[in-house]
Amino acid sequence: MELDRLKGVLRQNATPSAQRRENTAEHSWHLAIMGLVLEDQSPIPVDRVKVLCMLLLHDVVEIDAGDTFAYDHASHDDKAEREAQAADRLFGLLPSDQNVEFRAIWDEFEDGQTAESKLARALDRLQPILMNHRCGASSSWAKHGITKEQVLNRNREVEDLSAALWALLNRCCNEAVAQGFLKP
Amino acid sequence: MELDRLKGVLRQNATPSAQRRENTAEHSWHLAIMGLVLEDQSPIPVDRVKVLCMLLLHDVVEIDAGDTFAYDHASHDDKAEREAQAADRLFGLLPSDQNVEFRAIWDEFEDGQTAESKLARALDRLQPILMNHRCGASSSWAKHGITKEQVLNRNREVEDLSAALWALLNRCCNEAVAQGFLKP
């Protein structure tokens, strides 16, 4: 029941199909299937179950810590501390063996050093780009006056993972600039 | 991008935290984590990755076929056919190896004969019970005048899986009857 609360945490980006802000629960579902479908974009073979667990669990801390907008530098100052406290409380609701197991998976995602976490983190970057690209004038890019340079700088983890996904990300940005809802 | 559309498919039950109807994307996320946390409720050990894939994918057919209310018998007459056509189209968007793999997982869920699909199907039954129990007067039980007998008859897959989860389901029903939002 505690997990139900993540359905009420709203992200900055919209969902183009539903024409409203996306919540973190449905974002996590979308990402998990992206992890399935795009696992071959990792240059190193990945453990599928670990990727799925990471993507399902990576944002549960937002139940307590809320969503931090990617381009809000002030809120990022204490993000790690707020999220670690949330992880203590939320994973702490589970029996101790599950607490230890799922907390380790969440920590591994945060650290971003393994093949699984590199794939998961890059997809977590890519997914809102795809949403914003499709949302056009109602995108969070348009709403907050974001520049292409900000998007590229913020999402280098995609470049580090996969040339194909980086090319896709660049195409989305270029089309958004041409259509006037992302600043050059 | 096609998956984004599942965020706009509304289920009959509400989400108690967000105080609105639940959509099928966030329902699927919730279920996938329930599959992780409750996998030990299966009397036979399960393949975790298969359970997660099933729960992530089991309802994608609703993108085309919509959500069918559990107690709407007329809509259930052609549900299987509508959903099979949806599976043809949606899994058919993938490269052929992924089409074959994910379609087989979806078929296995629908058939409900393996340990993984029995666990997944029982949790898919249990999750809206938990939501309705918490929603009280705004539950779909209250809205549609559902009886406890209907709930118990509809959800025998939970009884077949786990005595502990069946006891939980019965407790939810008894409390709902006592509070007057589920008919005796």
Side-chain angles (χ1 to χ4, degrees):
Chain A
M1 290 307 303
E2 191 71 13
L3 290 172
D4 188 63
R5 296 172 59 199
L6 200 62
K7 303 168 191 169
V9 175
L10 299 183
R11 294 165 49 81
Q12 286 295 331
N13 64 275
T15 149
S17 306
Q19 294 280 312
R20 55 166 174 74
R21 281 172 69 185
E22 188 183 42
N23 71 62
T24 303
E26 63 197 3
H27 157 77
S28 299
W29 167 80
H30 200 169
L31 265 186
I33 301 191
M34 286 175 69
L36 266 184
V37 173
L38 298 172
E39 66 185 8
D40 65 352
Q41 294 299 309
S42 169
I44 303 167
V46 290
D47 176 354
R48 178 180 282 184
V49 74
K50 189 180 278 189
V51 171
L52 292 179
C53 290
M54 260 182 205
L55 290 170
L56 290 167
L57 297 172
H58 78 292
D59 271 345
V60 294
V61 293
E62 293 186 5
I63 287 172
D64 286 357
D67 179 57
T68 304
F69 183 42
Y71 303 98
D72 176 354
H73 296 292
S75 295
H76 274 270
D77 287 346
D78 64 343
K79 179 172 184 274
E81 189 184 324
R82 283 184 288 118
E83 294 193 344
Q85 285 176 357
D88 288 346
R89 187 186 77 79
L90 288 158
F91 294 118
L93 296 173
L94 293 167
S96 63
D97 56 337
Q98 292 186 331
N99 178 2
V100 169
E101 181 186 4
F102 299 152
R103 177 58 181 265
I105 289 172
W106 183 80
D107 285 337
E108 183 176 328
F109 175 86
E110 289 295 303
D111 290 342
Q113 298 303 309
T114 59
E116 288 79 10
S117 58
K118 286 176 182 176
L119 173 65
R121 292 174 67 92
L123 296 178
D124 190 32
R125 298 297 198 196
L126 181 64
Q127 190 261 1
I129 308 284
L130 301 178
M131 300 286 107
N132 277 318
H133 171 256
R134 193 63 72 93
C135 283
S138 62
S139 67
S140 59
W141 289 342
K143 186 175 168 191
H144 295 283
I146 303 299
T147 67
K148 176 181 167 183
E149 188 185 12
Q150 282 178 294
V151 175
L152 296 183
N153 285 339
R154 164 90 186 148
N155 295 292
R156 295 288 169 189
E157 284 173 295
V158 179
E159 184 176 25
D160 294 341
L161 183 84
S162 155
L165 296 183
W166 184 243
L168 173 63
L169 186 153
N170 274 269
R171 203 187 78 200
C172 289
C173 287
N174 292 337
E175 289 179 5
V177 169
Q179 291 169 36
F181 60 93
L182 178 65
K183 289 188 178 170
Chain B
M1 289 308 303
E2 191 71 12
L3 291 172
D4 188 62
R5 296 173 59 200
L6 200 62
K7 302 167 192 169
V9 175
L10 299 184
R11 293 165 50 80
Q12 286 294 331
N13 64 277
T15 148
S17 306
Q19 293 280 313
R20 54 165 175 76
R21 280 172 70 186
E22 187 183 43
N23 72 62
T24 303
E26 63 198 1
H27 158 76
S28 300
W29 167 80
H30 201 168
L31 265 185
I33 302 192
M34 286 175 68
L36 267 183
V37 173
L38 298 172
E39 66 185 9
D40 65 352
Q41 294 300 307
S42 170
I44 303 167
V46 290
D47 176 355
R48 177 180 283 183
V49 73
K50 189 180 277 188
V51 171
L52 292 179
C53 290
M54 263 184 200
L55 290 171
L56 290 168
L57 296 172
H58 78 291
D59 270 345
V60 293
V61 293
E62 293 186 5
I63 288 172
D64 286 357
D67 178 57
T68 305
F69 183 42
Y71 302 98
D72 176 355
H73 296 292
S75 295
H76 274 269
D77 287 347
D78 65 344
K79 179 173 185 272
E81 190 184 325
R82 284 184 287 117
E83 293 193 344
Q85 286 176 358
D88 288 346
R89 188 186 77 78
L90 288 159
F91 294 119
L93 296 172
L94 293 167
S96 63
D97 57 335
Q98 292 187 331
N99 178 3
V100 169
E101 182 186 4
F102 298 151
R103 177 59 180 264
I105 289 173
W106 184 79
D107 286 337
E108 184 177 329
F109 175 86
E110 289 295 305
D111 291 341
Q113 298 303 310
T114 59
E116 288 79 10
S117 58
K118 286 176 181 174
L119 173 65
R121 292 173 68 92
L123 296 178
D124 190 32
R125 298 296 198 195
L126 180 64
Q127 189 263 357
I129 308 284
L130 301 178
M131 301 287 106
N132 277 319
H133 170 257
R134 194 62 73 92
C135 283
S138 62
S139 68
S140 59
W141 289 342
K143 187 175 167 190
H144 296 283
I146 303 299
T147 67
K148 176 180 168 183
E149 188 185 12
Q150 282 179 294
V151 176
L152 295 184
N153 285 339
R154 164 89 187 150
N155 295 293
R156 295 288 169 190
E157 285 173 294
V158 179
E159 184 176 25
D160 295 342
L161 183 83
S162 154
L165 295 183
W166 184 243
L168 173 63
L169 186 152
N170 274 270
R171 203 187 77 199
C172 289
C173 288
N174 292 338
E175 290 179 4
V177 169
Q179 291 168 35
F181 61 92
L182 179 65
K183 289 187 177 169

